[in-house]
Amino acid sequence: MITDRLKKVICETLDLRLDDVEIQDETVANQVPGWDSLNHVNVITAIEKDYNVRFKSIEILKCQNIGDLQNLVNSKVG
Amino acid sequence: MAQVKLDESKTLWERWQSIADKTPDKEAIVHWSAGEEPFRWTYGELVETANKFSLALKKNGIKRGEVCAIILKHDPMFYPLYMGISGAGALPAVLAYPNPRLHPDKFRQGLLGMSQRSGLDRILTQRDLDSIIRPFVEMRESTVDELMFPLEWDLEDISESTTRDLQVVRNKVLNTDAMLLQHSSGTTGLQKPVVLSHKAILDHVSQYGEALKIDEEDIVVSWLPLYHDMGLIGAFQIPLASGVKSIHIDTFEWILAPVLMFESAHKERATLCWLPNFAYNLCADKIPDDEMNGYDLSSFRMVINASEPIRSESHKRFIDKFLPYNFNPHALSTLYGMAEVTLAFSQNPPGQKVNEITVDRQKLAQGIVKLADENTEVKRVCVSSGILIPDTEMKIVKDDRSEANEFEVGEIVVKSICLFDGYRNYPEKTAECMDEEGWYYSGDYGFVYDGELYVIGRKKDIIIVAGKNIYPEDVEVVLNELDQIIPGRVIAFGEEDEELGTEQIGVVAETKLTEYEDLRKLRLNIIRAGMTIDVNIGKVYLVPPRWLIKSSSGKPSRKANKERILAGNDEAIWTEEKFRQTSVER
């Protein structure tokens, strides 16, 4: 399940409001308006900053959807 | 180290076979996937598997001269399949694997446009695209007869009679026969098909190889998509036909983890690569230093910038970032070219620093090249695209196609032994850009200074985002379907983004909406509409009715409206950022 905190970071980075887009476990990045390959790094950096964690490139590559990203965040903060 | 010596092969097929016979154990392709052991093809195994594919393709009814489109994810079998299609006398054409956000209808619409122009006969793909592509194959207007899944074929199940048939086909192939089809530029359905012969490609291998001083020990590293000329010709065909190893990284993986290119370059000791300008910014700004720890980039002898405008600042950032990893600044290089001349037309010589000149921007806008001095108010740094490669000619012409004078800007017009014969099934487009003397009108503006070519802009309104050409018309058509935009009153244009080192797409649309909530919903709908054609719209400007300036044809002028938007001083323009800013101020 995607937390409101993660949704908020994603939406703020992409100039969206929480109710603009439905973000679920199986949502993939490029289904979210504005989240394309060029600003992917910006979204990841914003998440790292908000949670004060660091992701390795290979960890990000393994994320197939936002659910995987949430699990990755949880594994770092937990 | 020894410069590559090329044999007298008449076809690409003969060349690959001849290299495989001489050096069967030499590595040809290293297929790179993040976190896995790379898949390594030697020339011997690669050509043997390609032969098997040729036979399997014959067995499946592929005929000489047919166009076989390949739509595959990053897969080690791509390379022998591509070669096998050519070895069966057919023409391979690589098409982009659809991004999941691209609407299936738009994808099929693109395929239809492409099939009618390019005359696609078969599509070779993988099973998970069956449900998306099959409705297209079954459409009455489609030229495609069959959908095939070559990764599922049993390549051992080949009879002797098909082997004999294959030899008969190969013996008939002339070096002037078409070898491949690639698409020059553009988005859905508007791409222009360029067919190149064995001779054009072999000549280019020799012509461009000479300019690069390509060496037997060279190793190319690339993440470039193989549907793009720089990836297909630069990173795949040229090394393969020169007997040189190339490393191929998945484009989708690279963009998420650009460090992969340096990891593979370090481990394999890569010497050459081609990059569009945005990649210099991405690598310099987005790769964390801890991920570069221990990497040594001293093996690079050329990192060549091409396929979108070259920015001095991007080179500076790249050098600053990678100097500590032993990157040689003189390895930075530049290229100018296009699919119509196979790939390259001009190239900065190996080992030579890329020249830059600072000119008066206002004069440049008037078409005059004047070096900046202490009195110059607005300056522009122009980066050289090098000198002409062998067997090419160039002139700079004015709008009336007469030759420009020294220090004058004009359209770059080219001739090359590797020039294409015209767009396939597109005589009107060919007539627009080629004259009876065989000059190709590039549509790019530039000038010559001290014997070097400087490319500064485009005659056409094409937007180049991260090396990908996008026609504003494609974006405008899809936005015109939105109810809240006044019909026909929308334009798209390229807006320079210095941070990203590329352009992003800006859109100006007239609307009767005035309330904040309505405007922000329209902005979101515009971004979503762009996503259906796999285009990311970076900036949305909403304006009231009758705001857009019309051109003489009565349509909104892209150039004039872009200038008006970028002037940024019109209160009638609504943007999300501006709204938030004024809300904060209030």
Side-chain angles (χ1 to χ4, degrees):
Chain A
M1 166 133 172
I2 311 301
T3 61
D4 283 347
R5 181 175 174 186
L6 183 61
K7 280 184 199 168
K8 189 164 170 276
V9 181
I10 294 170
C11 288
E12 278 180 359
T13 314
L14 300 171
D15 278 339
L16 299 171
R17 280 204 315 218
L18 283 175
D19 56 357
D20 283 340
V21 57
E22 203 175 332
I23 297 180
Q24 294 173 334
D25 282 5
E26 57 279 8
T27 307
V28 295
N30 55 29
Q31 288 173 324
V32 180
W35 192 343
D36 72 342
S37 49
L38 277 184
N39 65 20
H40 180 78
V41 183
N42 297 335
V43 178
I44 298 301
T45 310
I47 297 170
E48 287 180 327
K49 200 172 159 196
D50 192 83
Y51 285 89
N52 195 25
V53 294
R54 272 277 289 123
F55 304 127
K56 290 195 168 73
S57 295
I58 194 82
E59 293 173 329
I60 295 296
L61 271 180
K62 283 184 187 158
C63 294
Q64 300 287 316
N65 51 38
I66 300 180
D68 292 343
L69 187 58
Q70 178 75 63
N71 290 337
L72 179 62
V73 170
N74 296 347
S75 73
K76 298 274 175 184
V77 295
Chain B
M1 298 284 276
Q3 201 168 330
V4 164
K5 286 192 184 68
L6 301 170
D7 65 14
E8 297 294 314
S9 295
K10 296 278 183 266
T11 63
L12 258 300
W13 188 260
E14 265 181 61
R15 172 69 58 76
W16 298 331
Q17 188 70 59
S18 133
I19 297 171
D21 291 345
K22 278 185 215 140
T23 53
D25 298 327
K26 183 170 183 185
E27 282 189 350
I29 304 265
V30 178
H31 180 83
W32 202 272
S33 293
E36 292 174 19
E37 271 301 303
F39 186 100
R40 296 173 181 276
W41 284 107
T42 63
Y43 270 94
E45 289 160 342
L46 180 66
V47 172
E48 188 189 337
T49 311
N51 270 322
K52 288 179 181 170
F53 267 121
S54 293
L55 294 166
L57 288 157
K58 285 292 298 167
K59 196 178 154 197
N60 280 279
I62 301 272
K63 296 182 194 68
R64 187 179 162 201
E66 284 186 341
V67 178
C68 298
I70 308 174
I71 309 177
L72 289 182
K73 282 184 181 160
H74 189 60
D75 193 288
M77 296 310 270
F78 165 85
Y79 319 98
L81 172 65
Y82 186 96
M83 296 159 74
I85 293 170
S86 165
L91 280 72
V94 187
L95 306 188
Y97 192 89
N99 186 320
R101 71 179 180 181
L102 178 62
H103 194 284
D105 285 344
K106 299 285 180 194
F107 178 59
R108 286 190 283 269
Q109 201 180 317
L111 280 179
L112 183 63
M114 217 183 281
S115 86
Q116 288 169 342
R117 288 294 177 200
S118 310
L120 304 182
D121 297 295
R122 320 271 177 148
I123 292 182
L124 284 69
T125 186
Q126 51 201 64
R127 189 66 66 178
D128 51 358
L129 287 186
D130 189 2
S131 60
I132 297 179
I133 301 179
R134 193 163 296 282
F136 154 73
V137 175
E138 287 166 359
M139 283 163 81
R140 195 170 43 82
E141 310 94 309
S142 166
T143 61
V144 176
D145 296 331
E146 206 176 345
L147 205 52
M148 293 177 162
F149 305 100
L151 301 184
E152 298 173 6
W153 291 348
D154 178 2
L155 294 181
E156 303 308 320
D157 180 27
I158 304 295
S159 74
E160 276 188 25
S161 61
T162 47
T163 312
R164 280 195 300 275
D165 290 347
L166 186 61
Q167 209 46 54
V168 172
V169 172
R170 286 191 188 164
N171 289 342
K172 284 183 191 163
V173 174
L174 304 173
N175 74 337
T176 48
D177 283 352
M179 188 270 161
L180 64 83
L181 187 145
Q182 62 175 342
H183 290 93
S184 71
S185 67
T187 35
T188 46
L190 287 174
Q191 293 177 312
K192 290 176 284 186
V194 173
V195 172
L196 295 168
S197 66
H198 286 271
K199 183 175 183 308
I201 298 163
L202 285 169
D203 281 347
H204 202 61
V205 170
S206 132
Q207 172 195 35
Y208 189 39
E210 179 58 37
L212 295 174
K213 302 266 178 280
I214 204 158
D215 187 280
E216 287 171 357
E217 304 297 317
D218 268 323
I219 296 171
V220 171
V221 62
S222 172
W223 54 266
L224 299 167
L226 292 159
Y227 57 80
H228 191 289
D229 58 347
M230 200 153 74
L232 182 71
I233 305 292
F236 176 55
Q237 297 277 12
I238 289 178
L240 190 63
S242 304
V244 157
K245 175 160 97 176
S246 56
I247 307 157
H248 294 269
I249 302 165
D250 185 351
T251 308
F252 290 111
E253 287 192 341
W254 175 82
I255 194 107
L256 299 182
V259 73
L260 285 176
M261 189 176 87
F262 299 115
E263 180 197 351
S264 60
H266 165 77
K267 289 181 177 164
E268 303 287 326
R269 309 308 296 148
T271 61
L272 293 172
C273 84
W274 288 264
L275 298 175
N277 193 86
F278 86 96
Y280 291 74
N281 290 47
L282 189 75
C283 290
D285 299 343
K286 307 295 181 190
I287 299 180
D289 284 326
D290 59 347
E291 294 200 358
M292 286 294 295
N293 267 349
Y295 290 165
D296 173 36
L297 305 183
S298 61
S299 59
F300 274 121
R301 70 177 188 89
M302 293 180 96
V303 174
I304 304 167
N305 192 337
S307 89
E308 61 178 331
I310 298 166
R311 295 152 171 99
S312 166
E313 179 57 29
S314 303
H315 279 181
K316 284 196 188 81
R317 286 188 194 197
F318 194 87
I319 292 173
D320 288 349
K321 170 81 178 187
F322 297 111
L323 211 53
Y325 305 100
N326 300 325
F327 179 75
N328 170 10
H330 286 186
L332 283 187
S333 191
T334 55
L335 144 76
Y336 172 69
M338 64 281 300
E340 288 82 351
V341 295
T342 308
L343 170 66
F345 180 72
S346 73
Q347 170 70 47
N348 196 65
Q352 186 180 300
K353 185 175 181 289
V354 177
N355 283 321
E356 293 182 357
I357 56 172
T358 306
V359 301
D360 184 324
R361 184 187 279 271
Q362 285 164 340
K363 289 277 179 203
L364 198 67
Q366 296 159 17
I368 298 157
V369 181
K370 181 179 175 294
L371 291 185
D373 55 29
E374 65 278 9
N375 300 319
T376 307
E377 285 175 18
V378 199
K379 297 173 185 173
R380 171 169 171 181
V381 179
C382 299
V383 184
S384 165
S385 289
I387 56 173
L388 303 196
I389 67 171
D391 302 313
T392 51
E393 290 176 68
M394 178 181 70
K395 56 186 184 179
I396 304 288
V397 302
K398 300 181 201 172
D399 285 345
D400 64 2
R401 293 196 168 181
S402 64
E403 277 202 53
N405 297 316
E406 200 181 359
F407 306 122
E408 267 187 351
V409 176
E411 184 176 0
I412 302 164
V413 182
V414 306
K415 254 188 198 179
S416 164
I417 54 163
C418 299
L419 191 64
F420 75 142
D421 296 324
Y423 300 113
R424 189 177 170 98
N425 301 329
Y426 228 154
E428 67 277 24
K429 282 280 172 206
T430 306
E432 275 174 26
C433 64
M434 278 182 86
D435 70 14
E436 58 285 356
E437 290 173 25
W439 288 100
Y440 170 73
Y441 289 73
S442 69
D444 291 321
Y445 282 126
F447 62 86
V448 175
Y449 185 84
D450 214 6
E452 299 193 9
L453 174 64
Y454 291 79
V455 185
I456 60 155
R458 295 180 294 280
K459 193 174 177 180
K460 304 160 200 160
D461 288 326
I462 288 177
I463 307 165
I464 309 183
V465 181
K468 186 178 171 188
N469 293 0
I470 292 165
Y471 286 106
E473 294 88 337
D474 280 6
V475 181
E476 290 157 5
V477 163
V478 80
L479 296 186
N480 261 314
E481 290 167 15
L482 296 176
D483 290 340
Q484 305 90 339
I485 292 178
I486 298 174
R489 309 294 294 172
V490 57
I491 58 144
F493 61 89
E495 190 171 334
E496 183 74 15
D497 186 322
E498 278 189 28
E499 267 314 294
L500 293 175
T502 187
E503 288 182 325
Q504 59 171 322
I505 297 171
V507 160
V508 194
E510 284 186 2
T511 179
K512 289 178 183 163
L513 302 175
T514 53
E515 296 299 316
Y516 169 67
E517 273 307 309
D518 296 335
L519 290 165
R520 61 177 299 284
K521 270 185 197 151
L522 175 56
R523 170 184 173 266
L524 202 57
N525 287 341
I526 286 174
I527 294 171
R528 284 189 201 278
M531 288 165 68
T532 65
I533 54 167
D534 195 18
V535 157
N536 202 52
I537 295 171
K539 290 278 183 77
V540 177
Y541 303 92
L542 299 175
V543 292
R546 290 183 293 280
W547 187 92
L548 286 167
I549 303 164
K550 285 184 194 171
S551 67
S552 51
S553 67
K555 289 182 184 169
S557 157
R558 293 193 191 103
K559 188 165 180 277
N561 288 303
K562 174 182 172 175
E563 281 168 13
R564 192 173 175 195
I565 283 288
L566 297 184
N569 49 10
D570 189 331
E571 290 201 353
I573 304 166
W574 182 91
T575 64
E576 176 77 27
E577 295 91 325
K578 204 162 98 180
F579 177 83
R580 267 192 277 123
Q581 208 175 351
T582 48
S583 306
V584 170
E585 282 164 10
R586 277 200 297 267

